[in-house]
Amino acid sequence: MLGLLLILGNLSNTLNQQTSLIKQFYTKTESTVDYQYHVILSDYIKTIGNIVLTDNSQTKPEKSAMIRAMTQATLQELDLESRRYVVMFLYDINLLKTSSKKQLPLFFGAFLTNAKLQNLDLRYANFQGADLTEADLRGTDLRGANLENAI
């Protein structure tokens, strides 16, 4: 009986240690994933900022195509909260503050599933064909936005 109790005690200690190691692993994994999102977002902001502010070698259509491609690729790689920061950044650098005729199609066919886009000014944004499934758009101004074929 004493041997059985010792075995159960050792087994319990082993399970507790393994549980602790698993928790540590997931905590490290979470912070690694958060760091990866941070790096992706930082790289995007630096690159787009440079294209918009300094690169005069490309024509406007080339710049627009590059910004759109980078935006869509970045949105697919980011978590929900970081997607919001991409949209806010684009608004802050005046790429979303134009009339419907001048609006860049940055979100055309974009993957914005579950994105947290509440309380943003997205007037005239082109979401044509975009996936906005379960996106949080509470309080967001979408007047004049193109939502044709958007999900």
Side-chain angles (χ1 to χ4, degrees):
M1 183 72 150
L2 182 61
L4 182 60
L5 288 175
L6 286 173
I7 291 171
L8 287 176
N10 285 337
L11 182 60
S12 176
N13 284 338
T14 302
L15 287 174
N16 286 336
Q17 288 173 348
Q18 288 179 348
T19 302
S20 177
L21 290 173
I22 290 170
K23 285 180 184 177
Q24 288 174 3
F25 171 77
Y26 281 113
T27 301
K28 287 179 184 176
T29 302
E30 266 185 36
S31 65
T32 301
V33 169
D34 289 342
Y35 178 74
Q36 288 173 337
Y37 291 145
H38 176 74
V39 168
I40 292 167
L41 183 59
S42 294
D43 287 347
Y44 172 81
I45 289 171
K46 285 178 199 172
T47 303
I48 298 301
N50 285 334
I51 290 170
V52 171
L53 298 175
T54 60
D55 189 2
N56 294 323
S57 64
Q58 297 172 320
T59 65
K60 190 170 183 172
E62 287 173 336
K63 278 186 182 183
S64 297
M66 184 179 294
I67 292 170
R68 178 174 171 248
M70 291 186 73
T71 299
Q72 292 200 14
T74 300
L75 288 171
Q76 287 185 324
E77 297 296 321
L78 292 174
D79 65 323
L80 308 178
E81 189 64 31
S82 298
R83 290 177 191 166
R84 175 179 173 78
Y85 294 126
V86 167
V87 175
M88 290 169 61
F89 169 72
L90 292 170
Y91 182 81
D92 289 344
I93 63 170
N94 295 320
L95 291 180
L96 298 179
K97 292 182 181 179
T98 57
S99 71
S100 60
K101 293 178 184 174
K102 296 181 180 179
Q103 184 61 258
L104 294 176
L106 297 176
F107 304 121
F108 183 88
F111 179 74
L112 292 163
T113 301
N114 294 312
K116 297 178 180 181
L117 303 175
Q118 65 274 18
N119 301 313
L120 296 176
D121 184 352
L122 298 176
R123 288 177 285 179
Y124 304 111
N126 186 347
F127 290 104
Q128 188 175 0
D131 188 349
L132 295 161
T133 305
E134 296 186 31
D136 186 352
L137 297 165
R138 290 175 290 164
T140 298
D141 189 347
L142 292 168
R143 287 178 287 173
N146 183 350
L147 297 166
E148 187 178 329
N149 297 320
I151 300 170

